[in-house]
Amino acid sequence: MLRIISSRYYMVIIFSLIIMVSGVLAEANEKSENSLTIPWDEFKKFLPLDKNEIVLSMETFQKLLEQTGVKTIPPHMLKQGNVVLTPGEFKKLVGRMKAPTEPDIKPPFDYLITKAAYSGKMSKNSTSFTAIFDIHILKSDKYLKVPLLHQNIALEEISVNNETALVVSENGYHHIMLSKPGRYQATALFSLKSSIEKGPHKIDFNIKQTPITLFKLEFPIEKIDVEIPQARQILTESKGKSTVVSAVVAQGNAISIRWRKKAEIVEKIPPKLFGEVYHLVSIDDDALKVSTEISYNILHKEIDSLRLAVPDEFNILSITGDGVGEWQESIDGKFREVMVPFTYSKKGNVLINIASEIPLSEKGITNAFSGIKTLDTVRETGFVGIELNTSAEVKVAESAGMEKVAAQKLPRRLYNKSVKPLIYAFRYLKHPYSLVLDIKKHEKIAAPVATINSGSVVTLFTEDGKVVHRLVYQMRNSAKQFLEIKLPEKADIWSVSVDNKPVESSLNGQGKLLVPLIRSRLVDRRLSNFPVEIIYCQVEDKFSFSGSKKSSLPNVDLMISQLIWSIYLPNDYSFHYFDSTLEKEEIIRGVNVFSGAQRQYDENVMQELNRSGNNSNKAIGKEQLRKIYKGKNYQSKFRNMPLRQEQITNQLTAELEFSNRLNMLAQQADQQGIAYSGKGTAGIMPIQIEIPTGGQVYRFAKTIITSKDPLNINMAYTQNLITKGVIWAVILLLIGLIYIIRNRIKGIFILVKDGFNNLRRYYLSHEQLFNQAVQSSMTTYVLLGLFIAGSFISKFIALPLFVLFWISFSYQAVLYRKNKKHNMQTARETKDIVDS
């Protein structure tokens, strides 16, 4: 075998060229301008297939395998890092090489109609049209229906590339059938009905929307004006006794042609202007805001500008309208003249809008309104509507040249323009006219921008004298920046939060706490509530053996609709009397000398429920609440202020979560590593504390609380040991007293016994009379009458009379049944005797 080593490098270059050409062909779309494309069979002729040994680099060999797509590597030899193939194996590889294929790009459309040209010639009773369409078919795998003309057009002939076309009429259009991709030119001949002599002089027909639409029509008449509303450019040309109109039509679905003979030019007469003016006068705090709308009707001739006469007290703010230029002002005697130019000449209906104002006088009664006058008009009429946008009192002091009308009789364009109800309405027929308004300003009462819908307060009294308050206000706010709270001087603030998020509060110069507020969210077109929470502590004197305690709540700068205050008191004390500016619940009304705890809160039971997995206070049932609150009913009853069940439930929730809230604040402070330095951070308690919340629980309530209403509680207490000692002392005292007056008590007992015996003897002596009264049916009616009369006097009198009436009625019912039964028995016995 002859080796041709001298051509080794030549072969490497050739086959590198093979791979490069393949890559070039694969990217023909991107590099077509710089690439040479030849047929694959021709390219094979350049390959050195007549050599005895083919040497390729390893990289070229790998690329050649990828190009052929073979999975089994042909036999070869490796020499000096290159691949050596026999000519036969190399021919097999080259024979398997695949020509690069272009990517299959799907067209975005099946077809495109890029241009349509309509050319027509009008005859006496019809117009013949030739329509030429440029069509591009992009889809190649099926027949396509291409719509050209609307189905209501009568076709004469239609062809594609000068050959008769296949036409199908469906879905409101005439379609031609095309199957092969490429560019086509379709030509359609059709006629439309028209008339030169008789009217109407118009042609309307529907077209297929195309990017480019050209229109040309020849009229067999001279001196005509042609209108094509859809055209962006119209060219009219005289051709002998005919007129040729060419137009470029904007994209659309129809073409409309109107024509008329040109009118002979006559001498123009001066323009005539008629004006109708609509004034809306809005009375504000500082000025009369006037919105004027002037509707002109301009006849005979176009004009370039308008003139207006404006009174001195008017301040023109703006003049707007279609084609209105920059207005200019000049002084002409008593009135100021305003010239309103147009950017183009106008005729027919013209509308301009004027915004102006008249400052209010200090005295109020010299507020005159005489309106804007249109100049150069044949006639001017108008209407005036007055609306009130402030709290002032308005009266019409005098009017001249005006007729008062009902507001409903005003034109709708003026009536609908007002936002507030119209308080006065007038009509005038000509100038001059005047209207003097007497406007009296009154002091305004600011509407509240924030409200407190409800307040929930829980206060804990510890035995060593600490008092912890938790205040939660449910608020609505639209614009208020701070909530001002007048806290006691020595109050230690532990936490301030808004919408359950800590906030940084501050103190103003008056010592009031300023709590930054948020704006309420809008839910179902209403402002929603958000909570504001303040927790603070006071240090007072500790509880002694007996004495009194008092506490008060801070005043806020907003009215509170309703507030409920719950207090926790130590269990080792008895509280005998409560005095408060709030209403007390029923169980603590009056003086409770010997009673102990009326209602006790058991923290241990609550902790057991939390450990058992019931962490939701609202999910606690009635039985569990009875275990948590020992003694009296866990719910509260107020004599003069009935509360809804929802309000009681919310207050119970606040009581139950009081301890958890303090523990949570302590955990937050501990997690953030806050050391007490006299100041807290962002509304979080500065020190970690443990406060038990068990004890006696009592509640107070109040409605409609202003910022000046005091909220105080005073209570008298003694230690339970003293109370028990007093009770035993009273018992012993009563026993000793009974022993001392035992003879008197015995005499009283004998006297009572003698009286009872006397009553018994009186009854026995008159027993027959009593039996007759009891058995009489009249007794029942008498007792009923006495009961009815007594119910109007006193319930204490009516109650025993009702009991006696019921006894008498029951006795009469039993007696009636007994007598009836006896009479029936007697009747049967009599019948038996008679029968026997």
Side-chain angles (χ1 to χ4, degrees):
M1 180 182 295
L2 179 63
R3 298 177 58 189
I4 307 178
I5 303 299
S6 60
S7 63
R8 177 178 301 171
Y9 296 105
Y10 171 75
M11 297 301 299
V12 171
I13 294 172
I14 289 296
F15 285 99
S16 297
L17 181 62
I18 293 173
I19 303 302
M20 292 175 62
V21 171
S22 300
V24 168
L25 292 176
E27 299 177 1
N29 290 336
E30 298 179 1
K31 302 179 180 179
S32 59
E33 295 181 359
N34 301 321
S35 302
L36 176 65
T37 302
I38 61 176
W40 178 246
D41 294 335
E42 296 294 329
F43 180 72
K44 288 181 180 181
K45 297 178 181 179
F46 293 96
L47 300 178
L49 301 179
D50 56 344
K51 306 297 182 182
N52 297 326
E53 190 178 73
I54 309 299
V55 181
L56 302 175
S57 66
M58 181 61 70
E59 182 181 1
T60 303
F61 180 65
Q62 293 293 338
K63 291 182 179 180
L64 184 61
L65 293 178
E66 293 177 1
Q67 187 69 29
T68 58
V70 298
K71 298 181 179 179
T72 303
I73 300 177
H76 63 279
M77 295 176 63
L78 295 175
K79 287 184 179 182
Q80 299 179 358
N82 295 323
V83 177
V84 179
L85 296 174
T86 63
E89 294 296 335
F90 182 71
K91 288 181 180 180
K92 291 180 181 179
L93 281 178
V94 173
R96 294 178 181 177
M97 289 183 67
K98 301 176 182 178
T101 59
E102 296 183 358
D104 185 15
I105 301 175
K106 295 183 179 180
F109 306 99
D110 293 346
Y111 64 89
L112 290 174
I113 303 176
T114 58
K115 182 180 178 182
Y118 300 89
S119 177
K121 186 175 183 179
M122 184 179 293
S123 59
K124 185 175 182 181
N125 295 316
S126 64
T127 302
S128 299
F129 281 95
T130 300
I132 300 175
F133 302 92
D134 287 348
I135 305 171
H136 296 265
I137 301 299
L138 308 177
K139 199 83 170 181
S140 61
D141 57 348
K142 63 179 181 180
Y143 276 92
L144 296 178
K145 299 177 183 178
V146 181
L148 296 182
L149 294 170
H150 204 270
Q151 198 168 342
N152 60 5
I153 294 177
L155 292 176
E156 296 179 7
E157 184 181 353
I158 188 165
S159 62
V160 176
N161 293 343
N162 298 322
E163 295 182 1
T164 303
L166 297 176
V167 182
V168 177
S169 297
E170 62 181 16
N171 298 327
Y173 280 92
H174 297 299
H175 301 71
I176 60 173
M177 303 291 293
L178 299 174
S179 61
K180 295 180 181 180
R183 180 179 178 182
Y184 297 87
Q185 188 177 76
T187 304
L189 304 180
F190 60 94
S191 298
L192 297 176
K193 185 177 180 181
S194 62
S195 177
I196 296 177
E197 298 178 354
K198 299 181 180 180
H201 296 160
K202 65 177 183 177
I203 297 176
D204 298 311
F205 65 96
N206 296 322
I207 63 173
K208 185 66 178 176
Q209 185 171 326
T210 54
I212 301 175
T213 304
L214 304 179
F215 181 81
K216 185 177 182 181
L217 180 59
E218 181 179 346
F219 294 86
I221 50 179
E222 300 179 272
K223 298 180 181 180
I224 59 173
D225 290 327
V226 181
E227 294 180 3
I228 304 177
Q230 297 83 4
R232 293 295 177 264
Q233 180 181 354
I234 299 178
L235 179 63
T236 303
E237 181 184 359
S238 297
K239 185 179 179 182
K241 295 184 178 182
S242 301
T243 302
V244 179
V245 176
S246 302
V248 178
V249 181
Q251 284 193 8
N253 298 317
I255 296 180
S256 300
I257 305 98
R258 305 287 187 273
W259 70 91
R260 63 179 180 272
K261 291 184 178 180
K262 287 185 177 181
E264 295 182 2
I265 299 176
V266 296
E267 184 180 357
K268 293 186 177 180
I269 62 175
K272 287 187 178 181
L273 281 68
F274 297 86
E276 194 164 29
V277 185
Y278 307 95
H279 292 293
L280 176 62
V281 181
S282 301
I283 303 175
D284 285 356
D285 291 327
D286 57 344
L288 301 178
K289 303 294 179 66
V290 184
S291 176
T292 304
E293 183 179 302
I294 305 178
S295 178
Y296 283 96
N297 187 14
I298 304 171
L299 304 178
H300 304 316
K301 185 180 179 182
E302 295 178 341
I303 61 173
D304 298 324
S305 62
L306 293 170
R307 293 193 309 132
L308 303 170
V310 181
D312 289 339
E313 64 270 14
F314 270 71
N315 294 324
I316 303 295
L317 304 179
S318 67
I319 301 178
T320 59
D322 184 22
V324 173
E326 185 177 354
W327 52 278
Q328 300 174 359
E329 186 175 332
S330 60
I331 298 177
D332 184 11
K334 184 179 178 181
F335 290 94
R336 302 186 343 257
E337 182 178 312
V338 175
M339 194 269 289
V340 183
F342 295 132
T343 57
Y344 57 91
S345 300
K346 289 203 170 191
K347 184 181 177 182
N349 293 324
V350 177
L351 189 68
I352 64 171
N353 295 283
I354 304 172
S356 59
E357 65 177 21
I358 304 173
L360 288 179
S361 63
E362 296 182 358
K363 296 182 180 180
I365 198 169
T366 58
N367 296 288
F369 175 81
S370 56
I372 297 174
K373 181 181 180 181
T374 59
L375 300 178
D376 305 323
T377 53
V378 177
R379 183 180 71 248
E380 176 194 332
T381 59
F383 298 87
V384 179
I386 301 175
E387 66 175 355
L388 185 62
N389 292 334
T390 183
S391 59
E393 182 181 355
V394 181
K395 295 181 180 178
V396 178
E398 62 178 270
S399 63
M402 306 184 74
E403 176 189 359
K404 189 174 182 180
V405 297
Q408 294 79 5
K409 296 295 182 67
L410 291 176
R412 302 309 299 178
R413 62 199 306 174
L414 177 58
Y415 184 81
N416 294 334
K417 199 174 184 180
S418 62
V419 178
K420 298 291 184 68
L422 295 175
I423 57 175
Y424 295 106
F426 297 91
R427 178 186 178 186
Y428 69 91
L429 300 178
K430 63 179 180 178
H431 274 274
Y433 68 88
S434 63
L435 180 68
V436 179
L437 300 176
D438 181 8
I439 302 174
K440 294 182 180 179
K441 299 180 181 178
H442 301 291
E443 183 179 357
K444 290 187 176 181
I445 300 175
V449 297
T451 59
I452 299 179
N453 295 334
S454 65
S456 174
V457 182
V458 179
T459 300
L460 170 67
F461 290 83
T462 63
E463 195 169 351
D464 61 352
K466 294 183 177 64
V467 182
V468 182
H469 298 273
R470 179 180 180 238
L471 293 74
V472 179
Y473 300 112
Q474 296 293 334
M475 292 192 58
R476 290 179 183 172
N477 180 40
S478 61
K480 189 173 177 61
Q481 185 176 5
F482 294 102
L483 176 66
E484 298 183 10
I485 304 176
K486 182 62 177 177
L487 294 176
E489 293 183 0
K490 297 182 179 180
D492 187 10
I493 301 172
W494 286 358
S495 170
V496 180
S497 65
V498 176
D499 199 20
N500 300 318
K501 298 176 183 177
V503 296
E504 293 184 358
S505 57
S506 59
L507 295 175
N508 63 7
Q510 301 174 354
K512 293 183 178 180
L513 179 69
L514 302 180
V515 180
L517 300 176
I518 63 173
R519 188 178 183 275
S520 295
R521 290 181 289 271
L522 198 63
V523 179
D524 294 333
R525 299 184 179 180
R526 296 183 61 185
L527 294 178
S528 61
N529 292 333
F530 63 88
V532 176
E533 180 195 66
I534 302 97
I535 299 178
Y536 67 95
C537 177
Q538 294 175 268
V539 179
E540 300 179 355
D541 296 335
K542 64 180 181 179
F543 281 81
S544 59
F545 288 102
S546 64
S548 64
K549 277 283 183 182
K550 64 180 180 179
S551 182
S552 61
L553 294 181
N555 293 107
V556 297
D557 62 338
L558 293 175
M559 187 184 71
I560 304 174
S561 299
Q562 189 173 71
L563 183 137
I564 304 178
W565 186 4
S566 300
I567 60 173
Y568 286 90
L569 299 172
N571 284 326
D572 295 336
Y573 294 86
S574 298
F575 296 87
H576 307 297
Y577 179 71
F578 291 89
D579 182 25
S580 177
T581 56
L582 293 82
E583 183 177 356
K584 301 175 286 187
E585 62 175 324
E586 284 291 330
I587 63 174
I588 56 175
R589 291 181 70 92
V591 180
N592 304 307
V593 179
F594 300 111
S595 62
Q598 302 289 317
R599 183 193 297 119
Q600 288 182 315
Y601 172 79
D602 194 339
E603 177 69 13
N604 295 327
V605 176
M606 188 63 195
Q607 291 179 357
E608 284 184 20
L609 291 175
N610 289 334
R611 284 193 294 269
S612 64
N614 192 352
N615 295 323
S616 177
N617 295 326
K618 293 185 178 181
I620 296 177
K622 293 182 179 179
E623 294 299 326
Q624 295 168 327
L625 286 172
R626 290 191 179 96
K627 293 179 181 179
I628 296 172
Y629 292 95
K630 297 179 179 179
K632 297 286 185 178
N633 187 8
Y634 65 88
Q635 295 187 355
S636 296
K637 293 182 180 179
F638 295 89
R639 182 176 299 179
N640 300 318
M641 197 181 76
L643 298 177
R644 300 191 306 272
Q645 182 63 37
E646 179 186 359
Q647 295 170 316
I648 296 294
T649 303
N650 291 338
Q651 187 64 17
L652 288 172
T653 302
E655 295 172 4
L656 297 177
E657 68 181 9
F658 181 70
S659 177
N660 293 335
R661 180 61 179 145
L662 294 182
N663 293 334
M664 182 178 65
L665 290 175
Q667 292 173 5
Q668 291 178 2
D670 186 59
Q671 291 172 2
Q672 296 186 12
I674 298 174
Y676 180 63
S677 60
K679 294 183 180 179
T681 301
I684 298 177
M685 185 167 50
I687 56 175
Q688 184 170 354
I689 61 171
E690 292 288 342
I691 296 181
T693 55
Q696 305 176 54
V697 180
Y698 303 110
R699 303 183 185 103
F700 305 82
K702 188 177 179 66
T703 58
I704 309 177
I705 305 167
T706 66
S707 59
K708 297 181 180 180
D709 290 343
L711 301 173
N712 303 324
I713 293 177
N714 294 293
M715 62 198 88
Y717 68 91
T718 58
Q719 203 171 38
N720 286 342
L721 182 61
I722 296 177
T723 303
K724 292 178 181 179
V726 171
I727 292 174
W728 281 109
V730 171
I731 292 174
L732 292 175
L733 182 62
L734 289 175
I735 293 174
L737 183 62
I738 292 172
Y739 178 78
I740 293 172
I741 62 173
R742 61 186 181 279
N743 292 329
R744 292 186 179 181
I745 294 174
K746 184 178 179 181
I748 293 173
F749 177 75
I750 294 172
L751 183 61
V752 171
K753 182 179 179 181
D754 291 342
F756 179 76
N757 290 333
N758 291 332
L759 287 174
R760 184 173 180 275
R761 285 194 296 270
Y762 181 80
Y763 171 73
L764 293 174
S765 62
H766 300 83
E767 183 178 3
Q768 185 177 2
L769 181 62
F770 278 105
N771 290 335
Q772 291 177 355
V774 170
Q775 295 177 2
S776 175
S777 60
M778 285 300 298
T779 304
T780 304
Y781 293 106
V782 171
L783 290 173
L784 178 61
L786 292 175
F787 164 70
I788 295 173
S791 61
F792 291 100
I793 300 173
S794 172
K795 63 180 180 179
F796 298 103
I797 297 175
L799 183 60
L801 290 173
F802 177 75
V803 173
L804 293 175
F805 162 73
W806 185 252
I807 293 174
S808 176
F809 178 79
S810 301
Y811 176 79
Q812 292 295 332
V814 173
L815 183 62
Y816 173 77
R817 293 186 61 185
K818 183 178 180 181
N819 291 335
K820 184 177 180 181
K821 185 177 180 181
H822 176 71
N823 293 335
M824 291 176 64
Q825 184 67 25
T826 304
R828 283 197 296 271
E829 292 177 356
T830 303
K831 184 178 180 182
D832 292 340
I833 294 172
V834 172
D835 293 339
S836 61

